Amino acid sequence: MNSRGFGVAAGLDPGVAAPLAARCRELGYSSIWSNDHPCAKGLETLASFAEGAAEIELGVAVIAVDRHSPPQIAADVDRLGLDRGRLWVGLGSGFTEKPLTTMREALPKLRDALPGVRLVLAAMGPKMCAFGGAEWDGVFFNWMTPGFAAGARERVEAGAREAGREAPPVFGYVRTAVGPDAGERLAKEEGFYRDLSVGYRKHFDRLAEPEGTVGVAAPDAAAARKGLSAYEALDTIVVRGLASASLEAMGSLADAAAPGSG
């Protein structure tokens, strides 16, 4: 049975992030996540989460290694006083021409800089999924349908078998919007990513799905839970909340998508 995490955009106001983490812990979420982008560091949002909930696991997905070196990431973890034992640090290549090579070269440097931190590889293509299965502590999917995620997980497991190890846990963002404007929110978010880079364009071409359909856009909580339950291939479904950055809106979405409710 998969667990459930909750995810937000980096830079969420600390006055929202801390009580949101506490609410997610009460609702039974196993982890709470932030992305990372040029305008805000995900690790800083995790520090706010940590203040709000002492036990929930903390994840960032993903930090791009073309923008942040391993020593810089480690310095941020230490500066913010983050408990390495609670951390899942997701990493991706960013906008590099050879993403697989970039991540192969980055892994030993990350291991040296971040002992005790669980390192998670952002993977969408088959080779990256296999690499994640072979050498990383976890693999993180993004923008996948349930069926595509199942196929990607098979690649992770194949990579692990070839390396003679157990497959690591598989996480994945599932963009989720609830309410009368849910379809519009999902379409807007997806439209941004579809043309963000060559890698994303190739990924969406592989998906071959109509625009605005990759994720969960639901009129109510029951429909949201049903849509999320289809992602059986993920060990942890990270509900990436598409709502305004207020405690009321984010908390309402967390309630609607809460684990153990369907």
Side-chain angles (χ1 to χ4, degrees):
M1 182 177 179
N2 48 30
S3 63
R4 199 159 295 183
F6 192 80
V8 305
L12 188 65
D13 186 278
V16 175
L20 178 63
R23 180 61 179 150
C24 285
R25 185 185 62 180
E26 292 172 358
L27 289 168
Y29 286 91
S30 63
S31 55
I32 189 162
W33 297 71
S34 172
N35 76 344
D36 186 274
H37 54 78
C39 297
K41 289 187 175 183
L43 290 171
E44 293 185 349
T45 300
L46 296 195
S48 297
F49 290 153
E51 291 181 4
E55 298 173 358
I56 196 167
E57 296 204 325
L58 308 170
V60 59
V62 296
I63 297 175
V65 299
D66 65 342
R67 290 191 291 109
H68 301 284
S69 70
Q72 288 173 329
I73 298 168
D76 281 341
V77 169
D78 292 340
R79 172 177 61 84
L80 295 165
L82 292 168
D83 178 356
R84 294 186 177 212
R86 292 173 66 187
L87 283 181
W88 294 94
V89 174
L91 299 129
S93 63
F95 300 127
T96 58
E97 293 184 0
K98 296 181 178 180
L100 184 59
T101 299
T102 296
M103 298 314 294
R104 286 191 186 280
E105 294 176 349
L107 182 56
K109 299 173 185 177
L110 290 161
R111 293 279 188 215
D112 287 343
L114 294 161
V117 174
R118 293 163 294 185
L119 303 179
V120 182
L121 178 66
M124 292 190 291
K127 292 181 180 180
M128 199 72 84
C129 288
F131 175 45
E135 298 191 33
W136 291 69
D137 302 322
V139 181
F140 205 101
F141 296 163
N142 197 8
W143 289 113
M144 293 188 184
T145 61
F148 197 95
R153 184 189 179 97
E154 290 177 359
R155 297 282 187 173
V156 172
E157 293 175 344
R161 283 195 303 272
E162 291 177 8
R165 67 192 293 245
E166 291 187 11
V170 175
F171 305 83
Y173 278 140
V174 181
R175 262 60 174 198
T176 304
V178 179
D181 64 342
E184 296 173 10
R185 285 181 180 272
L186 179 59
K188 181 178 179 181
E189 179 86 349
E190 185 184 318
F192 172 77
Y193 278 89
R194 276 184 178 265
D195 201 38
L196 184 61
S197 68
V198 172
Y200 273 110
R201 285 194 289 273
K202 288 181 178 178
H203 174 68
F204 279 104
D205 285 345
R206 287 193 297 265
L207 285 180
E209 296 290 339
E211 292 191 18
T213 63
V214 185
V216 174
D220 53 35
R225 291 166 185 159
K226 181 178 180 180
L228 288 164
S229 69
Y231 283 85
E232 297 178 349
L234 303 178
D235 294 303
T236 298
I237 299 169
V238 182
V239 178
R240 182 70 158 76
L242 301 183
S244 61
S246 68
L247 181 58
E248 180 181 6
M250 282 290 179
S252 178
L253 200 154
D255 284 343
S261 302

